[in-house]
Amino acid sequence: MSEVGFTTMGKAANGGEIETIGVGMLGYAFMGKAHSNAYKTLPYMAWPPPLMPLLVSIAGRNEEAVAEAARRYGFSEAVTDWKAIVADDRVRLFDNSGPNALHSEPTIAAAEAGKHVICEKPLGRDAAESYETWQRVQAAGVKHMCAFNYRFLPAVRLARQIIESGELGELQHFRGAYLQEWGTTEGEIWRFNKAEAGSGALGDLAAHVIDLSRYLVGEIGDVAAMTQTFIAGRDVDDAVESAVRFENGAVGTIEASRFCQGRKNHFTWEINGSKGSLAFDLERLNELQYSEGNAGFRTVLVSEADHPFWEFWWPQGHMIGWEHTFVHEIHHLLTAIRDDTDVAPHGATLEDGYRAAEVCDAMLRSAQRGAREKVNYR
Amino acid sequence: MSEVGFTTMGKAANGGEIETIGVGMLGYAFMGKAHSNAYKTLPYMAWPPPLMPLLVSIAGRNEEAVAEAARRYGFSEAVTDWKAIVADDRVRLFDNSGPNALHSEPTIAAAEAGKHVICEKPLGRDAAESYETWQRVQAAGVKHMCAFNYRFLPAVRLARQIIESGELGELQHFRGAYLQEWGTTEGEIWRFNKAEAGSGALGDLAAHVIDLSRYLVGEIGDVAAMTQTFIAGRDVDDAVESAVRFENGAVGTIEASRFCQGRKNHFTWEINGSKGSLAFDLERLNELQYSEGNAGFRTVLVSEADHPFWEFWWPQGHMIGWEHTFVHEIHHLLTAIRDDTDVAPHGATLEDGYRAAEVCDAMLRSAQRGAREKVNYR
Amino acid sequence: MSEVGFTTMGKAANGGEIETIGVGMLGYAFMGKAHSNAYKTLPYMAWPPPLMPLLVSIAGRNEEAVAEAARRYGFSEAVTDWKAIVADDRVRLFDNSGPNALHSEPTIAAAEAGKHVICEKPLGRDAAESYETWQRVQAAGVKHMCAFNYRFLPAVRLARQIIESGELGELQHFRGAYLQEWGTTEGEIWRFNKAEAGSGALGDLAAHVIDLSRYLVGEIGDVAAMTQTFIAGRDVDDAVESAVRFENGAVGTIEASRFCQGRKNHFTWEINGSKGSLAFDLERLNELQYSEGNAGFRTVLVSEADHPFWEFWWPQGHMIGWEHTFVHEIHHLLTAIRDDTDVAPHGATLEDGYRAAEVCDAMLRSAQRGAREKVNYR
Amino acid sequence: MSEVGFTTMGKAANGGEIETIGVGMLGYAFMGKAHSNAYKTLPYMAWPPPLMPLLVSIAGRNEEAVAEAARRYGFSEAVTDWKAIVADDRVRLFDNSGPNALHSEPTIAAAEAGKHVICEKPLGRDAAESYETWQRVQAAGVKHMCAFNYRFLPAVRLARQIIESGELGELQHFRGAYLQEWGTTEGEIWRFNKAEAGSGALGDLAAHVIDLSRYLVGEIGDVAAMTQTFIAGRDVDDAVESAVRFENGAVGTIEASRFCQGRKNHFTWEINGSKGSLAFDLERLNELQYSEGNAGFRTVLVSEADHPFWEFWWPQGHMIGWEHTFVHEIHHLLTAIRDDTDVAPHGATLEDGYRAAEVCDAMLRSAQRGAREKVNYR
């Protein structure tokens, strides 16, 4: 591997006062916890932080629970209506960690109130909703990010650098699968309800695969997909299977399922180029497999690399965890806000959120119509 | 894992004379070597052998080379016309290890001359040729086998036993990929010529994936496929990518490519059922990964199992190699001939050869027409 | 695996005021960063925390650097003399994250001033210094912990539960190796100086192996060791190799080296019992390998278990990182302080720190004298 | 990795008559089967063979069983007294595949009768018996080989080439362990009897580790060992644990045990040099792990290399099995006989058999005396 030439993240070592940024958050469950941890951790791990987050206000429907969340994570205030955050002048960054059905309206409202926004994925419940969200936020002129956090895995950034450097040659294949096992879970979970979730494994898991394939390989041209629902009466897909062709001629498969016993959080991808191959497994997120030419796969412990995400952490071989992707992601967003730089290409914007949704919709159409479908961006 | 209850292969311990069987072979290259080794090894590894093979005659177009092959492997005679073998009364078993274009006619002729036949895969260059071959051989009333040797991997037989026992529950997913790296090889190779090979990665590699998926999961109902040729001017596919749906409702992907740097002979498959999962990698062929329920994957060193293929070999943990699949396969065929038992279900018959070809054709049609295609058996 | 029966950590859900505890820290380098992160993370990850840490004061020799560290981690005050912390009434817990030569005196002084103490390993530069430290701190009647953080890996705690439950049967083997690669680093590093470090790979790396072997297998009876220094002029060991016998009859090897190219932070151990085996690799810290009987090794993703450390984090399969061991460790200590319970057996006390040092000394004696040495605890 | 520069084995392509060599074998159990397979396979796999083996005579104590073995493997004659083979003028090569107690006397007798000899390991039941055997065979002037077959693993030969080329730099560590699980087997097995076996895991398993360490790293200078017998009343060791120092300054550990549940045939070794590291696991014998410098370990599928053992087999990625080591080994011996070349250094001679025994004896002395022991070659 030649020198991959990372530029390190700018670190102002001025020692002067660090500018602050007020953060308002919608949601305090799984994603709210992960985002809160990022705001609290990044200031001392990436010292000095680009901006010092102040946790101003957190919104949730359950008054008692949101009050407890505020106390736990250190938000100054808890509210039961997200519109209070939109109206709060102390808030410069609106963090939407809520469920899918609450992605679009609050994100648009916050942006139109002049706040920068970060919104969890999938951006909308379908491509139309995602498009509307992107367009209106874009028109508001604020910084915007769709929280495809896996772009901020050290292994993924390293893969992107290797590909950009040309070391992999012409890209010929991408095969990605995101497999989990909890799909038989009973009870009323919003993720199994189309009105609330939009889709099943598709928007929840395949969207991650699609985003990384776009980040690493390029735009997807067309798809030939099938979906399957294993549990009778459920109105979302339990699994999606697709052949895909990229605009640059690479072909491959994209798959997602919640019905794979023994696969806890098994997001794997492999890219084959004319000069080498890369392979990754999220359950071993500190490793990237790299075959230079046909030399055989080398376990690149990404902790060893001179890497923009690594300077924050520990010496080589001291593994980082899943949640650190959010630290890197929000650090990236705060830097873009401070410096007025682009969130793209390393960060996913709402446009990227929309584009992933458009691919998801093409897969659904293909599955329904039994035909190969072009991805047509509006 | 409960007891998988293998029945051991019948071993006549009579000590009496072992009946012989005359073998005539077409081809002496890669497959001819692998088959010859099997005939020579099985009599003492699987002692006593069901029938004692006598290597009577071998056919090839190059007079000098085929004479050398006869000397090397111990065939009594070398001929340059395979029809001499068909006409040879000493030959009871015709072994077709020749290239694809020579699969159909000699195999039919041998069967119609009353000889049992084993033919390398793919059975024909397309489904029509494969169907004709199967039908005429079947009509001749001889034993017939299509040499899908991977059915005779210990790990695959063990997987079949686990599935048959119901331990995996309802089957929900199959994902198989056969990846190699040598597709950029230059020069005039018959495998890159449609008239001689029929197809590219499809018939050469995907056919193996299809056969194992049929053996382990069941019949494929429909496919949504794409093909790609990376080298300009080549008239066969370099890669095939397909979503598949099985008749039992399982869904998944099947893929094959010769353009995956670092992947030497990387045939991987995974099966997810409602009660557990199995995973396999041909490059670690002595291992089967098994998650009982969601307990996590256990490396079952198949050498440890009480296994029908293992009794021939070594104590547990003493690994066997790729070529041993042929030893098991031909042992199975000789047993069927001796006992007049069915080659199916563990051995692939010419019907299985035809059925794999029909799935391949459906993938080609799907790729050409841009539509999902049903697999229609004639 | 039968139910391992973890008892979950007590979580008072009273919602009332959380009692605070003032923390004073010595050192702000690698370990200071890891400990600071733990104090800052645990309150919201393990909500509510047993005690709410208040970062009162941090000490370091470089005035400017320690002031920056205080600002970075949020300590109220920075001092250049650790005695100021010992004299500070706001401090109830003294955290010694300083270099080896500064372990003994400040820790004793803090304890004798009535503060609870946690001290990085190795406790002292030799067994005598460690013994003195333990004895005097013990006499002071405070809670004390030696920061052998690897006891707080989820995989290690799970291993201990499996062993305690009897599932492994009689323990027969322990083999542990801690291998790194940076030993050729040039320059004046205190770790290469005997006066400052006490020993080389022995106290730095082998001490971890020894502590885990004592935690999981039991007391070591005798050792037969060799040491090696590869760099001329260096007065500490670069590597130590030892055969070991435990008091319960188990035998094995313990090894540590800083001269293993490609091994970043490769701490592996394996335990064989009459009924099963366990294996672990720190570079894959979210995995524990477990063979029940001779069934073959299963990858237990420890994130899946119902586990006392896991409730703080994420759903199964969302990997945690190296630094989370410190979060668990300090949570354990704060719980012991709040409830006045024993730090042992899951936490290492200063007695454990001393005992590891005694084993290290026995290895050095064995290496020097060329004889097997008994571990004689004072 | 630079070009490792294998020279291919000489293949006379003369097409003329191939010289034959009469083989007489003692023993027809596990090792007899493995050696017989090698004699039968090598002529066509390594075509043309250096000499064409003729299986003349096989000896065993059980008249019926040895007759069956002769029939099975194709020996012309079965005898119940090995002296008949020694007296048989048709035999030029005496293959001693018998149990340990029958290694010395028949091997000496055969050599003194002018026959070349290959003898299974361990050469003798102790160093004295091994020395006597080597000396008398050496004096007879015949070719001699001790069947340390793991030298003929493709991965091991490749490792030797890498080391010889200097790519690993100065060697600093060797750690090798040979672990099996069957030690609790009940019944009267000669391997548990000192008079018949000489020692337990030491001569059976550790001898293999010692031989490979000598082949790859160099002579062992001194050892600090412990042994353990877990089953009361058994008079051989069940496990041996040793620290070792090589004459070139490398240090490490050597271990062998039959009490490791889940470890079927787990022979692992790792070598660390100043410029890189190699690692190997016999249960994945087609793989060699190689870290060039600190680049991280690359899985070298040894089948891909331009390798002297590989030309006999299959295209890259088509795995070979454990028994192929014997094919390579006996091919090597026949070549040495035909060309009157040295069996060393790639083949183990009886001197190597003796030297391994001397190291084993030093480990036993060290274990008994509780002191580090020098390996003193006579």
Side-chain angles (χ1 to χ4, degrees):
Chain A
M1 185 167 65
S2 67
E3 293 304 312
V4 290
F6 287 116
T7 54
T8 58
M9 287 182 174
K11 273 192 172 185
N14 56 12
E17 282 308 298
I18 300 166
E19 187 187 352
T20 60
I21 182 167
V23 176
M25 184 177 290
L26 167 56
Y28 50 80
F30 182 20
M31 284 302 117
K33 184 178 180 183
H35 287 225
S36 294
N37 177 62
Y39 291 110
K40 296 175 77 65
T41 304
L42 79 86
Y44 56 88
M45 279 299 176
W47 177 259
L51 294 170
M52 179 66 75
L54 298 181
L55 302 182
V56 170
S57 183
I58 187 165
R61 280 168 287 199
N62 182 313
E63 185 169 0
E64 199 171 335
V66 73
E68 181 79 356
R71 193 164 167 251
R72 177 174 186 172
Y73 299 115
F75 285 85
S76 304
E77 190 175 338
V79 298
T80 53
D81 185 348
W82 55 262
K83 290 174 186 160
I85 295 181
V86 170
D88 191 330
D89 286 344
R90 297 168 301 173
V91 172
R92 274 176 69 199
L93 171 60
F94 182 75
D95 184 313
N96 192 334
S97 293
N100 299 3
L102 278 176
H103 284 180
S104 183
E105 187 190 355
T107 300
I108 293 169
E112 294 185 342
K115 298 175 195 317
H116 305 294
V117 294
I118 175 172
C119 182
E120 261 304 318
K121 42 63 58 183
L123 179 54
R125 284 163 293 184
D126 58 19
E129 188 176 67
S130 302
Y131 183 74
E132 165 84 2
T133 310
W134 165 43
Q135 286 291 304
R136 290 184 57 186
V137 168
Q138 175 75 12
V142 298
K143 298 292 175 196
H144 50 87
M145 176 176 255
C146 185
F148 281 119
N149 60 307
Y150 293 135
R151 291 188 178 208
F152 291 90
L153 284 160
V156 170
R157 176 67 69 88
L158 183 58
R160 165 106 180 188
Q161 293 276 1
I162 290 169
I163 291 167
E164 281 188 343
S165 74
E167 289 179 56
L168 239 49
E170 300 290 311
L171 302 189
Q172 292 166 328
H173 288 297
F174 174 86
R175 65 190 64 82
Y178 202 145
L179 310 179
Q180 296 182 343
E181 68 184 6
W182 56 275
T184 54
T185 305
E186 294 180 13
E188 294 202 7
I189 298 173
W190 67 264
R191 290 187 181 279
F192 296 149
N193 182 290
K194 187 173 177 182
E196 293 181 70
S199 64
L202 183 67
D204 185 24
L205 303 179
H208 273 302
V209 187
I210 290 163
D211 181 65
L212 279 199
S213 77
R214 291 184 59 251
Y215 181 57
L216 295 173
V217 178
E219 292 293 349
I220 294 173
D222 46 36
V223 301
M226 298 176 177
T227 57
Q228 181 66 293
T229 302
F230 296 109
I231 303 291
R234 192 174 283 177
D235 69 349
V236 296
D237 58 288
D238 287 328
V240 58
E241 318 282 335
S242 185
V244 295
R245 185 185 309 272
F246 292 80
E247 292 183 355
N248 61 11
V251 293
T253 55
I254 287 179
E255 187 182 12
S257 175
R258 293 163 171 166
F259 279 75
C260 299
Q261 293 298 308
R263 299 299 184 193
K264 307 303 171 187
N265 196 28
H266 194 68
F267 178 8
T268 58
W269 52 259
E270 176 169 333
I271 295 170
N272 308 113
S274 57
K275 295 183 182 171
S277 295
L278 293 169
F280 176 76
D281 173 358
L282 182 61
E283 290 176 351
R284 289 180 173 169
L285 68 83
N286 289 275
E287 303 176 24
L288 179 67
Q289 301 289 327
Y290 181 17
S291 178
E292 297 174 79
N294 64 2
F297 285 83
R298 179 160 62 90
T299 301
V300 179
L301 281 169
V302 292
S303 58
E304 89 193 74
D306 174 22
H307 193 286
F309 301 145
W310 230 264
E311 58 181 301
F312 308 151
W313 304 104
W314 318 104
Q316 59 179 15
H318 294 74
M319 301 297 140
I320 66 163
W322 169 85
E323 79 268 29
H324 298 80
T325 55
F326 295 95
V327 178
H328 308 150
E329 179 178 73
I330 290 174
H331 184 281
H332 181 79
L333 177 60
L334 297 187
T335 303
I337 293 171
R338 182 194 62 188
D339 299 343
D340 193 16
T341 51
D342 287 341
V343 167
H346 293 309
T349 63
L350 295 203
E351 178 176 3
D352 293 303
Y354 155 66
R355 285 177 176 259
E358 198 70 84
V359 178
C360 287
D361 273 20
M363 287 183 181
L364 278 182
R365 283 199 314 275
S366 175
Q368 286 155 2
R369 297 180 41 201
R372 192 186 306 155
E373 288 286 322
K374 275 208 171 337
V375 177
N376 287 314
Y377 293 119
R378 289 150 217 234
Chain B
M1 183 167 68
S2 68
E3 295 303 312
V4 289
F6 287 117
T7 55
T8 59
M9 287 182 174
K11 272 193 174 183
N14 55 13
E17 283 307 299
I18 299 166
E19 189 187 350
T20 60
I21 182 167
V23 177
M25 183 176 290
L26 168 56
Y28 49 82
F30 181 20
M31 283 301 118
K33 184 179 181 182
H35 287 226
S36 295
N37 176 63
Y39 290 111
K40 297 176 76 65
T41 305
L42 79 86
Y44 58 88
M45 280 298 176
W47 177 259
L51 295 170
M52 178 66 75
L54 298 181
L55 302 182
V56 171
S57 183
I58 188 166
R61 279 167 289 198
N62 181 313
E63 185 168 358
E64 199 170 335
V66 73
E68 181 79 355
R71 192 164 168 250
R72 175 174 186 172
Y73 298 116
F75 285 85
S76 304
E77 192 175 336
V79 298
T80 53
D81 185 346
W82 55 264
K83 290 174 185 160
I85 296 180
V86 170
D88 189 332
D89 286 344
R90 298 168 301 176
V91 171
R92 273 175 70 200
L93 172 60
F94 181 75
D95 184 314
N96 192 332
S97 294
N100 299 3
L102 278 176
H103 284 180
S104 184
E105 188 190 355
T107 299
I108 293 170
E112 294 185 343
K115 299 175 197 318
H116 305 295
V117 294
I118 175 172
C119 181
E120 261 304 320
K121 43 63 58 182
L123 179 53
R125 284 162 292 183
D126 58 20
E129 188 176 68
S130 303
Y131 183 74
E132 165 85 1
T133 310
W134 164 44
Q135 286 291 304
R136 290 184 57 186
V137 168
Q138 174 75 10
V142 298
K143 299 291 177 197
H144 50 87
M145 176 176 256
C146 185
F148 281 118
N149 60 308
Y150 293 136
R151 291 188 178 208
F152 290 90
L153 284 161
V156 170
R157 177 66 70 89
L158 183 58
R160 166 104 180 186
Q161 294 275 1
I162 290 168
I163 291 167
E164 281 187 344
S165 74
E167 288 179 57
L168 239 49
E170 300 290 311
L171 302 188
Q172 292 165 326
H173 287 296
F174 173 86
R175 64 190 65 82
Y178 202 145
L179 310 180
Q180 296 182 342
E181 68 183 7
W182 55 275
T184 51
T185 305
E186 295 181 12
E188 294 203 5
I189 298 173
W190 67 265
R191 291 187 181 278
F192 295 150
N193 182 292
K194 188 175 179 182
E196 293 182 71
S199 65
L202 183 67
D204 184 24
L205 303 179
H208 272 302
V209 188
I210 290 164
D211 182 65
L212 279 200
S213 77
R214 290 184 59 250
Y215 180 58
L216 295 173
V217 179
E219 292 293 349
I220 293 173
D222 44 37
V223 301
M226 297 175 179
T227 57
Q228 181 66 294
T229 302
F230 296 109
I231 303 291
R234 194 174 281 177
D235 69 349
V236 296
D237 58 288
D238 287 327
V240 58
E241 318 283 334
S242 185
V244 296
R245 185 185 309 272
F246 292 81
E247 291 182 356
N248 61 12
V251 293
T253 55
I254 287 179
E255 186 183 13
S257 174
R258 294 164 171 165
F259 279 76
C260 299
Q261 294 297 309
R263 299 300 184 193
K264 307 301 171 187
N265 195 29
H266 193 69
F267 179 8
T268 59
W269 52 259
E270 176 168 334
I271 295 171
N272 308 113
S274 57
K275 294 182 181 171
S277 295
L278 293 169
F280 176 76
D281 174 357
L282 182 62
E283 289 176 351
R284 289 180 172 169
L285 67 85
N286 289 275
E287 303 177 23
L288 180 68
Q289 300 289 327
Y290 182 17
S291 178
E292 297 173 80
N294 64 2
F297 285 83
R298 179 160 62 90
T299 300
V300 180
L301 279 169
V302 294
S303 58
E304 89 193 75
D306 174 23
H307 194 286
F309 301 145
W310 230 265
E311 57 182 302
F312 308 150
W313 304 105
W314 317 105
Q316 60 178 14
H318 295 74
M319 302 297 141
I320 65 164
W322 169 84
E323 78 269 29
H324 298 81
T325 55
F326 295 96
V327 178
H328 307 149
E329 179 179 73
I330 289 174
H331 184 280
H332 181 79
L333 176 61
L334 296 186
T335 303
I337 292 170
R338 182 193 64 188
D339 299 343
D340 193 16
T341 50
D342 287 341
V343 167
H346 293 310
T349 63
L350 295 204
E351 179 176 1
D352 292 303
Y354 154 67
R355 285 177 177 260
E358 199 69 84
V359 178
C360 287
D361 274 21
M363 286 183 181
L364 277 183
R365 282 199 314 277
S366 175
Q368 286 155 2
R369 296 180 42 202
R372 193 186 304 156
E373 288 287 321
K374 274 207 169 338
V375 178
N376 287 315
Y377 294 119
R378 289 151 217 236
Chain C
M1 182 169 68
S2 68
E3 294 303 313
V4 290
F6 287 115
T7 55
T8 57
M9 287 182 174
K11 273 193 174 184
N14 56 11
E17 283 307 298
I18 300 165
E19 188 187 351
T20 60
I21 181 167
V23 177
M25 184 175 289
L26 167 56
Y28 50 80
F30 181 20
M31 283 301 118
K33 184 178 180 182
H35 287 226
S36 295
N37 176 63
Y39 289 111
K40 296 176 77 65
T41 305
L42 80 86
Y44 57 88
M45 280 298 176
W47 177 259
L51 295 171
M52 179 65 75
L54 299 181
L55 302 183
V56 171
S57 183
I58 187 165
R61 279 168 288 199
N62 181 313
E63 186 169 357
E64 198 171 336
V66 73
E68 180 80 355
R71 194 165 166 250
R72 175 174 186 171
Y73 298 116
F75 284 85
S76 305
E77 191 175 336
V79 298
T80 53
D81 186 347
W82 55 263
K83 290 174 185 161
I85 296 181
V86 170
D88 190 331
D89 286 344
R90 298 168 301 175
V91 172
R92 274 175 68 199
L93 171 59
F94 181 76
D95 184 313
N96 191 333
S97 293
N100 299 2
L102 278 176
H103 284 180
S104 183
E105 188 190 355
T107 300
I108 293 170
E112 294 185 343
K115 299 175 196 316
H116 306 294
V117 294
I118 175 171
C119 181
E120 262 304 318
K121 42 64 56 183
L123 179 54
R125 283 162 294 183
D126 59 19
E129 187 176 69
S130 302
Y131 183 74
E132 165 85 1
T133 310
W134 165 44
Q135 286 290 304
R136 290 183 57 186
V137 169
Q138 174 74 12
V142 298
K143 299 291 176 197
H144 49 87
M145 177 176 255
C146 184
F148 280 119
N149 60 307
Y150 294 136
R151 292 188 178 209
F152 290 90
L153 283 160
V156 170
R157 177 66 71 87
L158 183 58
R160 166 103 181 191
Q161 293 275 3
I162 290 169
I163 291 167
E164 281 187 343
S165 74
E167 289 179 56
L168 239 49
E170 299 291 310
L171 302 188
Q172 292 166 326
H173 287 296
F174 174 86
R175 64 191 65 82
Y178 203 145
L179 310 179
Q180 296 182 342
E181 68 184 6
W182 56 276
T184 52
T185 306
E186 293 180 13
E188 295 204 5
I189 298 173
W190 67 265
R191 290 187 181 279
F192 296 150
N193 182 291
K194 187 175 178 182
E196 294 180 72
S199 64
L202 183 66
D204 183 25
L205 303 178
H208 273 302
V209 188
I210 290 164
D211 181 65
L212 279 200
S213 77
R214 291 184 59 251
Y215 180 58
L216 295 173
V217 179
E219 292 293 349
I220 294 173
D222 46 37
V223 300
M226 298 174 178
T227 56
Q228 182 66 294
T229 302
F230 295 109
I231 303 292
R234 193 174 283 177
D235 68 349
V236 296
D237 58 287
D238 287 327
V240 57
E241 318 283 334
S242 185
V244 295
R245 185 184 310 271
F246 292 80
E247 290 182 356
N248 61 11
V251 293
T253 55
I254 287 178
E255 186 183 13
S257 174
R258 293 163 171 167
F259 281 75
C260 299
Q261 293 297 309
R263 299 300 185 192
K264 307 301 171 187
N265 195 28
H266 193 69
F267 178 8
T268 60
W269 52 260
E270 176 168 334
I271 295 171
N272 309 113
S274 57
K275 295 182 180 171
S277 294
L278 294 169
F280 176 77
D281 174 357
L282 182 61
E283 290 176 350
R284 289 180 173 169
L285 67 85
N286 289 276
E287 303 177 23
L288 179 68
Q289 300 289 325
Y290 181 17
S291 178
E292 296 173 80
N294 64 3
F297 285 82
R298 179 160 62 90
T299 300
V300 180
L301 280 169
V302 293
S303 57
E304 89 193 75
D306 174 22
H307 193 287
F309 301 145
W310 231 265
E311 58 181 301
F312 308 150
W313 304 105
W314 317 105
Q316 59 180 13
H318 295 73
M319 302 297 140
I320 65 164
W322 168 85
E323 79 268 30
H324 298 80
T325 55
F326 295 96
V327 178
H328 307 150
E329 179 178 73
I330 289 174
H331 184 280
H332 181 79
L333 176 60
L334 297 187
T335 303
I337 292 170
R338 181 193 64 187
D339 299 344
D340 193 16
T341 51
D342 287 341
V343 167
H346 294 309
T349 62
L350 295 203
E351 178 177 1
D352 292 304
Y354 155 67
R355 285 177 176 259
E358 199 69 85
V359 178
C360 287
D361 273 21
M363 287 184 180
L364 277 182
R365 283 199 313 277
S366 175
Q368 285 155 2
R369 295 180 43 202
R372 193 187 305 157
E373 288 286 323
K374 273 207 170 341
V375 178
N376 287 314
Y377 294 118
R378 291 151 214 232
Chain D
M1 182 167 67
S2 67
E3 294 304 312
V4 290
F6 287 117
T7 54
T8 58
M9 287 182 174
K11 272 193 171 184
N14 55 13
E17 282 308 298
I18 299 165
E19 189 187 351
T20 61
I21 181 167
V23 176
M25 184 177 289
L26 168 56
Y28 50 81
F30 182 20
M31 283 302 118
K33 184 178 180 182
H35 287 226
S36 295
N37 176 64
Y39 290 111
K40 296 176 76 65
T41 304
L42 80 86
Y44 57 89
M45 280 298 176
W47 177 259
L51 295 171
M52 179 66 75
L54 298 181
L55 302 183
V56 171
S57 183
I58 187 166
R61 279 168 288 199
N62 181 313
E63 185 170 359
E64 200 170 335
V66 73
E68 181 78 355
R71 191 163 168 254
R72 177 175 186 171
Y73 299 116
F75 284 86
S76 304
E77 192 176 336
V79 299
T80 54
D81 186 347
W82 56 263
K83 290 174 185 160
I85 295 181
V86 170
D88 191 331
D89 286 343
R90 298 168 302 175
V91 172
R92 273 175 70 199
L93 171 60
F94 182 74
D95 183 313
N96 193 333
S97 293
N100 299 3
L102 278 176
H103 284 180
S104 183
E105 188 189 356
T107 300
I108 293 171
E112 294 185 343
K115 299 176 195 318
H116 305 295
V117 294
I118 175 172
C119 181
E120 261 304 319
K121 43 62 56 184
L123 180 54
R125 284 163 293 185
D126 59 18
E129 189 176 68
S130 302
Y131 183 75
E132 165 84 2
T133 309
W134 164 44
Q135 286 290 304
R136 290 184 57 186
V137 168
Q138 174 75 10
V142 298
K143 299 291 175 195
H144 50 86
M145 177 176 255
C146 185
F148 280 118
N149 61 307
Y150 294 135
R151 291 188 178 207
F152 291 90
L153 284 161
V156 170
R157 177 67 70 88
L158 183 58
R160 166 105 179 187
Q161 294 275 2
I162 290 168
I163 291 167
E164 281 188 344
S165 74
E167 289 179 56
L168 239 50
E170 300 289 311
L171 302 188
Q172 292 166 327
H173 287 296
F174 173 87
R175 63 191 64 83
Y178 202 144
L179 310 180
Q180 297 182 344
E181 68 184 7
W182 56 274
T184 53
T185 306
E186 293 181 13
E188 295 204 3
I189 297 173
W190 67 264
R191 290 189 181 277
F192 295 150
N193 182 292
K194 187 174 177 181
E196 293 181 72
S199 65
L202 183 67
D204 184 24
L205 303 179
H208 272 301
V209 188
I210 290 164
D211 181 65
L212 279 200
S213 77
R214 291 185 58 249
Y215 180 57
L216 295 174
V217 179
E219 292 293 350
I220 294 173
D222 46 37
V223 301
M226 299 175 177
T227 57
Q228 181 68 292
T229 302
F230 295 109
I231 304 291
R234 193 174 282 176
D235 69 349
V236 296
D237 58 288
D238 287 328
V240 58
E241 318 283 335
S242 185
V244 295
R245 185 185 309 272
F246 292 80
E247 291 182 355
N248 61 10
V251 294
T253 55
I254 287 179
E255 186 183 13
S257 174
R258 293 163 171 167
F259 280 75
C260 298
Q261 293 297 309
R263 299 300 183 193
K264 307 302 171 187
N265 196 28
H266 193 69
F267 178 8
T268 59
W269 53 259
E270 176 168 334
I271 295 170
N272 308 113
S274 57
K275 294 183 183 171
S277 295
L278 293 168
F280 176 77
D281 174 356
L282 182 61
E283 290 177 351
R284 289 180 172 169
L285 68 83
N286 288 276
E287 303 176 22
L288 179 68
Q289 301 289 327
Y290 181 17
S291 177
E292 296 173 79
N294 64 3
F297 285 82
R298 179 160 61 90
T299 300
V300 179
L301 281 170
V302 292
S303 58
E304 89 193 74
D306 174 23
H307 194 285
F309 300 146
W310 230 265
E311 58 181 301
F312 308 151
W313 303 104
W314 318 105
Q316 60 179 13
H318 294 74
M319 302 297 141
I320 66 164
W322 169 84
E323 78 268 31
H324 298 80
T325 55
F326 295 96
V327 178
H328 308 150
E329 178 179 74
I330 289 174
H331 184 281
H332 181 80
L333 177 60
L334 297 185
T335 303
I337 292 171
R338 181 193 64 187
D339 299 343
D340 193 17
T341 50
D342 288 341
V343 167
H346 294 309
T349 63
L350 295 204
E351 178 176 3
D352 292 304
Y354 154 67
R355 285 177 176 259
E358 199 69 84
V359 177
C360 287
D361 274 20
M363 287 183 180
L364 278 182
R365 284 199 313 277
S366 175
Q368 286 155 3
R369 296 180 43 202
R372 193 187 304 156
E373 288 287 321
K374 274 207 169 339
V375 177
N376 287 313
Y377 295 119
R378 291 151 216 235

